[in-house]
C-alpha cells in the first residue's frame, strides 16, 4: 500500500494551495503555491518569493507552473508576474514579461519540446527559444482568445493546446496550422490538462471528468468522473495528468 506524509504550513509551506508538483533531474521536488516556489529535499523547504524592490527575486509569489530545461535552469510561471528563469545551482533569477515579448503576464502552463519553451498565457501561446531566449507569439487564429490552459507535445512535431473556451486545438509546429479537434462529447468547456500517451491516446481533463481520445480512430470515451457528494454537488476537478514509470496515470 502507499504511505503518505502530509506536508503543510506546519512543515514549512508558505501557503497550502499547491498548483503544481515537479521533480527535477537531481531528484528535488518543487511545489508551486500561491505563496511562493518551494524546493523540497525530503527534509526541509527552501522558499523563493517575490521581494519588493529586489529585481533578483521572483516577479510574483503566486506560482502557476515550472519546468526544467537541459541546462539545469528552472522556468517558473506566475499569475501576474510573467515568466522567471531560476538557475538552480546559483539561485539567480531573471524575469521575462511583456517588455521582453511575452503576450500576457499571466502564465498558465509551461512545456519544453524541440529545444523550445512553450508558454500558455492568458492571451494564447508564446514560444521561447532556449538558445537565444527570444520570445515569439504564436497566432492561433482567434480560436483561443481567452488563453491556453494546457499543453502536450505530440511525437509528430505537433502540440496539443487546451483552452478555456474552444476545446482542444492541434498546432502543426512547422506550418503553424491550427486545427480544432472534433470533440462533441467534451464541447467547448475549459480544458485543465492534456497528455498524449505512447499508444496514441490523448487524455483530456475537463472539469471533474477525464476523457480518452483515441487519435487514430477519432473516438472519445469517458475514462473517469469524480463522484457527486451527498448534496448533489461536485466541487472536485482534475488539475493535472501525470504518468509514472509503469505507464499508469495519476
Amino acid at each position: 500500500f502507499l504511505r503518505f506524509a502530509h506536508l503543510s504550513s506546519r512543515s514549512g509551506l508558505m501557503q497550502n494551495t499547491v498548483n503544481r508538483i515537479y521533480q527535477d533531474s537531481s531528484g528535488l521536488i518543487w511545489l508551486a503555491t500561491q505563496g511562493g516556489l518551494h524546493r523540497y529535499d525530503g527534509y526541509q523547504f527552501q522558499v523563493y518569493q517575490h521581494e519588493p524592490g529586489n529585481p533578483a527575486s521572483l516577479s510574483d509569489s503566486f506560482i502557476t507552473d515550472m519546468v526544467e530545461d537541459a541546462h539545469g535552469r528552472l522556468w517558473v510561471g506566475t499569475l501576474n508576474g510573467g515568466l522567471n528563469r531560476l538557475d538552480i545551482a546559483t539561485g539567480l533569477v531573471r524575469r521575462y514579461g511583456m517588455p521582453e515579448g511575452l503576450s500576457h503576464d499571466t502564465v498558465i502552463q509551461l512545456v519544453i519540446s524541440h529545444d523550445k519553451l512553450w508558454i500558455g498565457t492568458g492571451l494564447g501561446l508564446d514560444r521561447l527559444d532556449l538558445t537565444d531566449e527570444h520570445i515569439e507569439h504564436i497566432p492561433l487564429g482567434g480560436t483561443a482568445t481567452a488563453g491556453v490552459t494546457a499543453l502536450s507535445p505530440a511525437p509528430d512535431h505537433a502540440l496539443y493546446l487546451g483552452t478555456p473556451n474552444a476545446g482542444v486545438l492541434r498546432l502543426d509546429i512547422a506550418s503553424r496550422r491550427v486545427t480544432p479537434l472534433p470533440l462533441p462529447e467534451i464541447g467547448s468547456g475549459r480544458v485543465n490538462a492534456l497528455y498524449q500517451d505512447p499508444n496514441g491516446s490523448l487524455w483530456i481533463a475537463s472539469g471533474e471528468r477525464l476523457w480518452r481520445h483515441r487519435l487514430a480512430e477519432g473516438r472519445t470515451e469517458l475514462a473517469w468522473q469524480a463522484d457527486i457528494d451527498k448534496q448533489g454537488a461536485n466541487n472536485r476537478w482534475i488539475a493535472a495528468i501525470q504518468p509514472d514509470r509503469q505507464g499508469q496515470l495519476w
Side-chain angles (χ1 to χ4, degrees):
F1 61 92
L2 296 176
R3 183 177 180 182
F4 291 91
H6 186 209
L7 302 175
S8 67
S9 56
R10 294 182 179 180
S11 312
L13 281 178
M14 301 302 294
Q15 208 273 344
N16 284 331
T17 300
V18 178
N19 299 316
R20 291 286 188 275
I21 302 174
Y22 183 79
Q23 185 174 24
D24 69 21
S25 57
S26 67
L28 292 170
I29 300 296
W30 297 82
L31 306 178
T33 79
Q34 296 180 13
L37 176 68
H38 297 65
R39 187 179 74 175
Y40 185 61
D41 61 7
Y43 299 96
Q44 58 186 0
F45 289 106
Q46 180 174 347
V47 182
Y48 301 83
Q49 293 179 301
H50 171 66
E51 301 172 12
N54 180 7
S57 68
L58 292 176
S59 57
D60 185 13
S61 291
F62 194 127
I63 312 301
T64 55
D65 201 8
M66 58 264 173
V67 65
E68 181 188 15
D69 65 21
H71 307 287
R73 303 173 300 187
L74 195 71
W75 295 88
V76 183
T78 69
L79 183 67
N80 294 306
L83 180 69
N84 298 261
R85 187 195 70 198
L86 171 65
D87 187 305
I88 296 176
T90 65
L92 296 177
V93 173
R94 180 180 176 184
R95 301 175 180 179
Y96 302 78
M98 295 178 67
E100 288 73 36
L102 208 63
S103 64
H104 197 275
D105 278 335
T106 296
V107 173
I108 303 171
Q109 192 158 39
L110 303 169
V111 69
I112 291 177
S113 180
H114 298 90
D115 204 35
K116 303 290 190 295
L117 175 67
W118 298 87
I119 308 164
T121 79
L123 280 181
L125 181 67
D126 295 344
R127 185 179 74 175
L128 182 145
D129 190 307
L130 291 170
T131 302
D132 60 16
E133 300 188 357
H134 172 71
I135 299 176
E136 177 186 9
H137 181 64
I138 309 297
L140 300 177
T143 51
T145 56
V148 170
T149 52
L151 296 167
S152 179
D156 56 348
H157 207 65
L159 191 69
Y160 287 104
L161 318 174
T163 71
N165 59 357
V168 179
L169 311 175
R170 182 185 183 275
L171 170 69
D172 184 287
I173 295 174
S175 68
R176 302 289 181 91
R177 181 181 180 184
V178 178
T179 307
L181 259 63
L183 300 168
E185 299 87 351
I186 301 174
S188 59
R190 180 184 177 93
V191 174
N192 299 319
L194 294 169
Y195 168 67
Q196 182 176 350
D197 68 25
N199 299 316
S201 289
L202 182 67
W203 297 83
I204 305 164
S206 179
E208 74 283 359
R209 294 180 174 91
L210 178 65
W211 301 86
R212 181 179 185 178
H213 180 68
R214 300 178 188 271
L215 293 164
E217 305 168 19
R219 181 163 56 91
T220 306
E221 58 197 35
L222 181 62
W224 183 82
Q225 180 176 354
D227 294 332
I228 305 297
D229 65 22
K230 294 180 180 179
Q231 285 73 41
N234 192 336
N235 298 317
R236 292 183 290 178
W237 54 282
I238 302 169
I241 305 170
Q242 179 64 43
D244 63 21
R245 296 183 180 91
Q246 288 73 42
Q248 299 181 95
L249 296 183
W250 294 80

